[in-house]
Structures are given as structure tokens and as C-alpha cells.
Amino acid sequence: RAKDGGRNGSRFFTVDMSAESRRKLRLESALRGALERGELLLVYQPQADVVTGRIRGCEALVRWKHAELGMVSPAEFIPLAEETGLILPIGEWILRTACAQAREWELAGQPVRIAVNLSAIQFHHGDLAATVAGILAEHSLPPELLELELTEGILMTDSARGMETLGRLHDMGVQISIDDFGTGYSSLSYLKRLPIQVLKIDQSFVRDIHTDPDDRAIVTAVIALAHSMKLKVVAEGVETDEQYIFLRDHRCDMLQGYLFSRPVPAQEVWEMMAAETAAAT
Ligand code: C2E
Ligand code: MG
Ligand code: MG
Ligand code: MG
């Protein structure tokens, strides 16, 4: 009886679970084997120089292609990977794969910097600077060809260890950028204290740039602030000519968005760079 009750109880629980929780459980167990099964891949989104239109760098973005679940968005599975700790092996695989790609392009005569997103857990776990140094050495990649994208949340943590990690990455020659700038905390004092080279304006400020005067004011101010601190500015999520013209006229340095290119397989970035080189010679 008691056994039956227990079984009924657990079945009841299953039935009661929201579709959302069931999907989460399903994803979580599938994610455990995703790396081993080779289901993860990287795509690369070019960043264009606003003045010349040429590719100045690109951002590596992870994709998960599951046999039954189809394409799962990183917005959905990265938080899961963080909750489960899987972000550590996955994050290391992402770093390694991006560095191998950057080295391949460099050897082929088209050096281009690749930006890799780091999760807070990766940043604070173990010895990130040593991990990065190891991966760079493994691939003989010049550190300037690697950029690490950190969010404001990570940079705001005032831990001595965090500072030391940043300092060591910077001393190695790795570029550091702030992702989704403007969506995090409001204190800007860390901008002058930390060794950062690039500021990425979040796409939420770019989206309505031609209709919303507040967004225009924010973007203009952020560009001025960044330039006064000798930082380069990348605008994210640029989709229209109007956005592009506004950003160009306000001296934004680089743009990233569907207007220029979606995130694409490495081969397509290679072809775009080869076409640029051919056009320039
Ligand atoms: P993010 O780092 O801010 O990446 C930019 C996101 O904006 C990407 O979404 C990109 O595909 C999308 N995007 C680019 N241009 C446009 C545009 O013109 N319009 C619109 N609407 N969207 C655009 P994605 O690839 O789905 O990634 C979402 C988020 O997931 C990323 O935001 C990042 O926070 C996280 N993520 C992606 N790849 C990685 C990774 O390798 N490691 C970690 N830790 N997080 C990642
Ligand atoms: Mg990013
Ligand atoms: Mg972003
Ligand atoms: Mg984002």
C-alpha cells in the first residue's frame, strides 16, 4: 500500500509538472552527454569596421544541435549549463575550439580576432588565466587574437582574485570586452579601474535608435564615454540602414548584427574575408 502510494505520488508529481519544468529536466539530462556526442558547434558573427565595412573581428556563439530536440538556443541551455556546472567543460571546449579556429585563419593568412563569451562561473572557477594561457600555448595563438567578453556583473565583483585574473589576462595580451553594456549595474567607476579595451553596446539600446530619443541619447553618451577612456565601441544587434547610419555618424567603431551578417559557420566567414581581400587587391 505504502509503496503504491509512493508510486502514485511520484506519478502524480510527473503529471503535475509544468511543460516548462519537464523540458528543463529533459534538456538537463541531454546536455550531460552533448559534448561527448559532438552536438555542440560554434558559429561566428563578423564585426565590421563602421568606416571601411571590412571584418575586424568576430564573436564565437555556441549552438546545440540535438537529434530529437532540434536546435536549442544558448539563451536556454547556457543558464542550464551554469546551474549544473556543465559550463566548465563546455566553456573550455568553446575556448579551445575558438582558439583553434583563430589559429587556422592566422596560418591561412587572414588573422582575425575571435571574441569568446565567458560565464561568471568560468571566470571565478579555478585559475582561469592559467587555463587560457594553456589553451593559447596549445594552439600557438598570439594572445591579441583572443578577446574575452565579460558582462558587467562579472566586472563589478570587487574580489581581489577577480582583479588579479583580469590583470593577468591583460598582461598576457588577451583583449577584454564588456558585453551587453548598459544592462547591468549603474556604477561606471569600474571602467577606469579595469584593463578593458572594448565596450559592446547592448542591442536593446540599438533596436529603436531611430525612433526613441532616449536610446539615441544613451548610445551617443556611451560612445563619448568609451572614447574618452580610449575604448573601442561595438554596437550589437544592428539590423537596419538607419541604425547603421546613426552609429556611423556618431563614430561608433564597429558594428555587429544581421545587417552585416548573421552568425555563420567558420567557412562562410573565411569566404567573406577572402572576398574582401580579393576586392582590395
Ligand atoms: P550575446 O553574447 O550578447 O550575443 C549576441 C546575441 O545576439 C547572439 O544570440 C546573436 O546571434 C544575436 N544577434 C546578433 N546580431 C543580431 C541582430 O542583428 N538582431 C538580433 N535580434 N540578434 C542578433 P545567441 O547566439 O542566441 O546568443 C544569446 C546569448 O547566449 C549570448 O548573448 C550570450 O550571452 C550567450 N552565449 C552564446 N554563446 C555563448 C558561449 O559560447 N558561451 C557563453 N558563456 N554564453 C554564450
Ligand atoms: Mg557576447
Ligand atoms: Mg551581447
Ligand atoms: Mg546578451
Side-chain angles (χ1 to χ4, degrees):
R1 282 261 144 227
K3 230 176 146 191
D4 263 14
R7 204 186 293 144
N8 279 341
S10 68
R11 197 181 57 196
F12 211 48
F13 172 70
T14 311
V15 170
D16 242 17
M17 274 175 76
S18 64
E20 198 188 322
S21 326
R22 269 181 280 132
R23 176 168 170 89
K24 200 177 150 185
L25 265 186
R26 173 99 202 272
L27 286 176
E28 203 178 295
S29 76
L31 191 57
R32 291 191 190 282
L35 205 50
E36 288 72 23
R37 289 191 300 268
E39 294 168 356
L40 298 183
L41 60 131
L42 295 187
V43 287
Y44 299 87
Q45 187 175 35
Q47 299 172 334
D49 186 294
V50 171
V51 177
T52 65
R54 293 193 59 163
I55 296 175
R56 288 264 296 270
C58 53
E59 177 175 5
L61 294 157
V62 68
R63 296 290 178 262
W64 179 18
K65 216 184 254 178
H66 185 269
E68 286 127 45
L69 297 160
M71 273 291 200
V72 186
S73 158
E76 188 174 19
F77 78 80
I78 291 289
L80 263 184
E82 289 173 337
E83 277 173 42
T84 53
L86 288 166
I87 193 65
L88 293 170
I90 290 175
E92 206 170 310
W93 176 85
I94 291 169
L95 263 173
R96 202 166 256 120
T97 305
C99 286
Q101 186 59 64
R103 176 62 173 159
E104 192 186 311
W105 283 334
E106 191 210 8
L107 283 174
Q110 300 270 18
V112 66
R113 179 176 301 141
I114 296 184
V116 175
N117 292 281
L118 276 195
S119 117
I121 291 170
Q122 267 179 293
F123 184 78
H124 294 295
H125 178 270
D127 191 343
L128 176 71
T131 303
V132 169
I135 292 173
L136 290 171
E138 211 176 282
H139 298 282
S140 312
L141 185 71
E144 314 77 63
L145 293 182
L146 176 64
E147 177 175 319
L148 298 176
E149 293 195 4
L150 307 177
T151 56
E152 288 171 88
I154 300 178
L155 295 167
M156 287 293 293
T157 58
D158 248 329
S159 78
R161 259 191 80 219
M163 290 289 166
E164 198 215 312
T165 299
L166 268 184
R168 282 165 64 202
L169 289 167
H170 176 70
D171 291 345
M172 261 182 238
V174 171
Q175 302 282 299
I176 311 281
S177 55
I178 309 183
D179 201 1
D180 305 338
F181 186 77
T183 61
Y185 299 78
S186 54
S187 164
L188 296 174
S189 64
Y190 69 88
L191 279 183
K192 65 174 185 198
R193 287 188 286 113
L194 302 179
I196 297 156
Q197 289 79 42
V198 180
L199 208 150
K200 299 188 75 178
I201 302 181
D202 190 67
Q203 57 186 52
S204 60
F205 302 111
V206 173
R207 193 176 304 127
D208 302 319
I209 219 171
H210 43 291
T211 53
D212 187 333
D214 293 336
D215 285 338
R216 274 206 291 276
I218 291 171
V219 169
T220 309
V222 167
I223 294 172
L225 172 74
H227 285 169
S228 73
M229 306 186 92
K230 310 267 187 285
L231 306 177
K232 297 281 183 221
V233 186
V234 178
E236 303 196 80
V238 182
E239 296 183 349
T240 67
D241 281 324
E242 290 98 321
Q243 292 164 343
Y244 158 64
I245 288 164
F246 181 90
L247 291 160
R248 185 197 61 197
D249 291 350
H250 289 80
R251 304 277 183 276
C252 184
D253 301 285
M254 283 166 274
L255 50 86
Q256 181 181 342
Y258 298 164
L259 179 68
F260 187 68
S261 171
R262 288 185 174 258
V264 292
Q267 179 62 26
E268 281 183 47
V269 178
W270 171 259
E271 282 157 16
M272 290 169 76
M273 293 192 293
E276 281 179 355
T277 306
T281 49

